[in-house]
């Protein structure tokens, strides 16, 4: 299975969408499908789950399940859709493996699938219940109140609620799904981190335009950046996400590029809460002009009595911002002092997070104190070939 699971995942999606094309309308990200990242993430997650059962039959991999459940809940996934997945996934297993799928093998993988499916269904049921919604009522309409260009490629939207229905407050670090109708009539969802403290009336998120560079450009990011204007109505899910701030102990945020967005949301929360905890923000970018949300982030850091900000720019160590340190090149966590007993939060390109996490562990930081957020399918967690597994007791 491990040797062939990538091809199984590819054939599964191909077969399922041929039979159920409506699933591409509002549920699946067709950009991730085209790139193949969703196939890799599915394959790796199933294999990681099965491998964990072999290693520790008495313990389910909760970290893996939590991350998937939150993403599913943000899309309004229905429990009965697991039966659709089962039908087409097992068709793909038999199609790829042929005679190797004996009745015993089929029965074993059937058991694995439903163990994982029911664990996710139960977690998602709990997430829906905690927010007082059903899968088909996670969505709300919000009107664009402000649209701000942060950089040449990043736009921030501030939206306000347009009805009186109960809106659950987000937790710092969470994201929402934004569902937009594309020119061909198909709805496409994308997840965006909330970048400001939640006041119950407004939500704020930032969108980075995905430029094609020889490939198709990001259809949703392009639509949001170019077409959506103040006064337009957007459909947002309730907030979800398993990476949330521990606001009772010191924190270190390490981000690169647009990965600063969940950090901005956490910093905004800390400022509005009047936190006096030691807070350190480490951010890497191409140059200062590329640093999205830099004015908000700097204002929040300066308003916190025990917060510091260090930046790394590929273009050189030049900054007009009131930062505590500006460095040239790539991030070096060994160049700064870190608070004792801190929780660590990482967000940025996968190689960046892997390098920072390794450097922190070498410095003596416990893996269980490091969390990370991935934009798009979680290819790190899904890389079942990595030893030790990125989890290893950590949110990584």
């Amino acid at each position: 299975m491990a040797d062939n699971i990538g091809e199984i995942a590819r054939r599964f999606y191909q077969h399922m969408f041929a039979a159920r094309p409506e699933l591409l309308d509002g549920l699946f990200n067709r950009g991730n499908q085209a790139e193949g990242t969703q196939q890799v993430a599915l394959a790796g997650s199933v294999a990681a789950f099965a491998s964990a059962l072999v290693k520790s039959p008495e313990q389910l991999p909760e970290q893996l399940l939590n991350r998937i459940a939150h993403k599913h809940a943000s899309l309004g996934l229905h429990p009965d859709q697991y039966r659709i997945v089962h039908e087409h996934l097992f068709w793909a297993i038999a199609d790829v493996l042929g005679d190797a799928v004996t009745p015993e093998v089929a029965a074993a993988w059937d058991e694995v699938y439903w163990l994982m499916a029911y664990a996710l269904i139960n977690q998602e049921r709990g997430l829906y219940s905690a927010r007082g919604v059903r899968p088909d009522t996670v969505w709300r309409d919000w009107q664009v109140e402000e649209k701000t260009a942060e950089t040449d490629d990043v736009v921030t939207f501030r939206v306000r609620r347009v009805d009186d229905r109960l809106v659950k407050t987000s937790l710092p670090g969470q994201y929402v799904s934004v569902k937009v109708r594309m020119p061909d009539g198909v709805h496409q969802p994308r997840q965006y981190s909330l970048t400001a403290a939640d006041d119950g009336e407004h939500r704020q998120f930032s969108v980075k335009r995905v430029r094609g560079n020889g490939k198709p450009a990001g259809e949703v990011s392009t639509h949001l950046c170019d077409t959506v204007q103040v006064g337009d109505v957007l459909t947002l899910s309730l907030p979800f996400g398993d990476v949330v701030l521990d606001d009772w102990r010191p924190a270190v945020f390490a981000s690169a590029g647009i990965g600063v967005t969940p950090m901005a949301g956490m910093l905004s929360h800390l400022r509005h809460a009047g936190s006096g905890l030691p807070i350190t923000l480490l951010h890497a970018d191409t140059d200062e002009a590329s640093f999205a949300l830099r004015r908000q982030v700097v204002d929040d850091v300066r308003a916190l009595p025990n917060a510091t900000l260090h930046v790394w720019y590929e273009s050189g160590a030049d900054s007009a911002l009131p930062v505590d340190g500006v460095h040239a090149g790539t991030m070096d966590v060994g160049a700064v002092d870190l608070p004792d007993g801190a929780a660590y939060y990482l967000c940025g390109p996968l190689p960046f997070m892997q390098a920072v996490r390794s450097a922190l562990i070498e410095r003596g930081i416990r893996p269980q104190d490091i969390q990370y957020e991935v934009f798009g399918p979680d290819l790190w967690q899904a890389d079942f070939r990595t030893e030790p597994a990125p989890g290893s007791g950590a949110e990584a």
Side-chain angles (χ1 to χ4, degrees):
M1 279 291 290
D3 289 342
N4 292 279
I5 199 163
E7 177 64 12
I8 290 170
R10 188 187 69 82
R11 295 286 291 132
F12 153 68
Y13 279 117
Q14 186 180 69
H15 194 262
M16 182 173 68
F17 291 140
R20 304 294 295 267
E22 72 276 8
L23 295 176
L24 280 170
D25 188 358
L27 184 59
F28 283 91
N29 179 327
R30 59 187 178 187
N32 290 337
Q33 291 292 323
E35 292 179 359
T37 50
Q38 186 64 60
Q39 292 89 323
V40 172
L42 171 75
S45 296
V46 172
F49 182 85
S51 298
L53 292 183
V54 171
K55 183 178 180 181
S56 304
E58 73 288 348
Q59 182 177 0
L60 294 178
E62 293 298 328
Q63 175 204 336
L64 175 71
L65 296 171
N66 286 342
R67 178 144 300 191
I68 296 172
H70 275 269
K71 182 64 70 71
H72 284 177
S74 79
L75 295 167
L77 193 74
H78 289 258
D80 58 3
Q81 288 169 326
Y82 282 93
R83 297 192 179 278
I84 298 173
V85 169
H86 176 271
E87 174 189 347
H88 296 281
L89 179 60
F90 276 74
W91 173 89
I93 290 172
D95 182 63
V96 173
L97 297 184
D99 292 341
V101 185
T102 64
E104 293 79 12
V105 168
W109 278 101
D110 190 69
E111 184 176 350
V112 167
Y113 176 83
W114 285 113
L115 187 61
M116 185 174 184
Y118 283 125
L120 287 170
I121 288 169
N122 289 334
Q123 286 206 23
E124 290 153 21
R125 183 182 294 117
L127 292 173
Y128 293 136
S129 176
R131 287 153 180 80
V133 295
R134 302 182 306 277
D136 55 350
T137 60
V138 301
W139 304 99
R140 300 282 190 275
D141 285 341
W142 298 72
Q143 187 172 44
V144 178
E145 191 170 79
E146 298 176 24
K147 180 181 180 182
T148 306
E150 300 284 349
T151 72
D152 290 343
D153 285 328
V154 178
V155 173
T156 291
F157 292 90
R158 181 173 171 83
V159 299
R160 64 175 178 83
R161 58 188 299 178
V162 296
D163 60 40
D164 295 327
R165 287 186 296 174
L166 177 66
V167 175
K168 290 286 187 176
T169 303
S170 64
L171 298 175
Q174 290 191 311
Y175 55 79
V176 293
S177 289
V178 179
K179 184 167 62 174
V180 297
R181 185 182 180 93
M182 304 312 299
D184 62 359
V186 174
H187 294 87
Q188 280 290 281
R190 299 292 187 272
Q191 285 78 37
Y192 296 105
S193 296
L194 295 169
T195 55
D198 198 330
D199 65 4
E201 293 293 324
H202 299 85
R203 296 233 156 108
Q204 178 179 298
F205 62 94
S206 299
V207 177
K208 180 176 181 179
R209 183 194 301 273
V210 178
R211 297 193 181 275
N213 298 322
K215 303 177 182 178
E219 59 175 343
V220 174
S221 66
T222 299
H223 176 80
L224 289 170
C225 291
D226 290 348
T227 305
V228 174
Q229 302 297 332
V230 171
D232 290 345
V233 174
L234 291 174
T235 301
L236 276 61
S237 75
L238 295 181
F240 291 95
D242 61 321
V243 179
V244 297
L245 177 69
D246 291 337
D247 58 3
W248 51 269
R249 59 171 173 164
V252 175
F253 306 119
S255 59
I258 196 62
V260 74
T261 51
M263 314 308 181
M266 295 183 194
L267 284 168
S268 178
H269 168 83
L270 290 166
R271 177 181 181 177
H272 282 77
S275 175
L277 291 167
I279 305 295
T280 302
L281 172 62
L282 313 175
H283 181 71
D285 228 311
T286 305
D287 51 36
E288 194 152 284
S290 302
F291 184 174
L293 293 161
R294 58 188 179 275
R295 296 174 186 84
Q296 173 188 320
V297 165
V298 169
D299 286 348
D300 287 345
V301 169
R302 297 280 72 94
L304 292 165
N306 295 306
T308 57
L309 168 58
H310 287 258
V311 294
W312 282 259
Y313 296 136
E314 295 176 15
S315 62
D318 296 315
S319 176
L321 297 173
V323 299
D324 298 285
V326 56
H327 314 266
T330 57
M331 184 178 293
D332 177 12
V333 296
V336 296
D337 294 329
L338 301 176
D340 294 332
Y344 290 78
Y345 305 88
L346 316 180
C347 191
L350 191 53
F352 163 81
M353 293 194 293
Q354 290 171 326
V356 171
R357 181 177 184 273
S358 295
L360 290 173
I361 291 174
E362 288 177 5
R363 191 163 168 171
I365 305 302
R366 301 185 307 168
Q368 59 264 41
D369 290 328
I370 305 172
Q371 300 188 62
Y372 76 98
E373 184 61 271
V374 170
F375 297 153
D378 190 345
L379 302 183
W380 187 356
Q381 187 162 246
D383 186 2
F384 58 93
R385 296 162 298 179
T386 301
E387 292 295 340
S392 302
E395 181 62 34

